[in-house]
Amino acid sequence: MMYWPFRTSCTRAWATATSAWSPSRPAWASLDEFWRQSPMKHIGRATTPTLVIHSEQDLRCAIEQGEQVFVALKRLGVDTEMVRFPDEPHGLSRGGRTDRRVVRLKHIVRWFDRYLRRAKPARKRVASGRRK
């Protein structure tokens, strides 16, 4: 999992002009800074059920980044699932094939139904007996 900070920060640098990183600044020149910004540094504290959705042709966030999160959460006992979309780029939600965009949304709705609907707090009754 040590590869994560290199890839995360490097790909972010290419995408964000205001980033503190530049493509000319290699990861090994500032390991502490790359690790400080890596989500993997804090993954051990994760407890939230997580749906990892990743496109296999994503050139901005390599597929192994999603795999690392998925495996780490599984090892921690966090309820997690990974959905991979073949032949789709980073912008699947905006420009991917329509059928795959629909499938992606169905996965998200299913996940929300599973974790958000069952966790809804009971509505409070007010003096009139109507629910708020």
Side-chain angles (χ1 to χ4, degrees), residues 76-126:
L76 290 167
V78 175
D79 196 6
T80 187
E81 184 178 312
M82 183 168 186
V83 179
R84 296 172 64 134
F85 287 92
D87 305 318
E88 290 294 343
H90 184 78
L92 168 63
S93 65
R94 297 168 303 283
R97 275 184 22 192
T98 304
D99 60 327
R100 291 184 180 151
R101 289 164 61 187
V102 170
V103 169
R104 176 187 167 275
L105 287 173
K106 286 181 178 180
H107 279 293
I108 293 169
V109 169
R110 176 184 53 80
W111 193 261
F112 284 177
D113 282 348
R114 182 175 177 184
Y115 290 99
L116 298 180
R117 286 197 185 201
R118 75 173 184 191
K120 274 187 177 176
R123 292 183 182 182
K124 293 182 181 179
R125 291 194 179 262
V126 292

Side-chain angles (χ1 to χ4, degrees), residues 2-3 7 9 13 17 22 25 28-30 45 53 58 60 65-67 80-81 96-97 109 112-113 116 131:
M2 281 301 293
Y3 188 60
R7 186 63 124 186
S9 297
S22 72
R25 188 173 179 190
W28 57 85
S30 54
R45 297 191 319 233
I53 298 176
D58 190 332
R60 188 171 183 188
Q65 292 181 5
E67 292 168 341
T80 187
E81 184 178 312
R97 275 184 22 192
V109 169
F112 284 177
D113 282 348
L116 298 180
R131 292 182 179 199

Side-chain angles (χ1 to χ4, degrees), residues 44-58:
R45 297 191 319 233
T47 59
T48 304
T50 305
L51 175 62
V52 179
I53 298 176
H54 217 297
S55 298
E56 292 181 359
Q57 298 303 315
D58 190 332

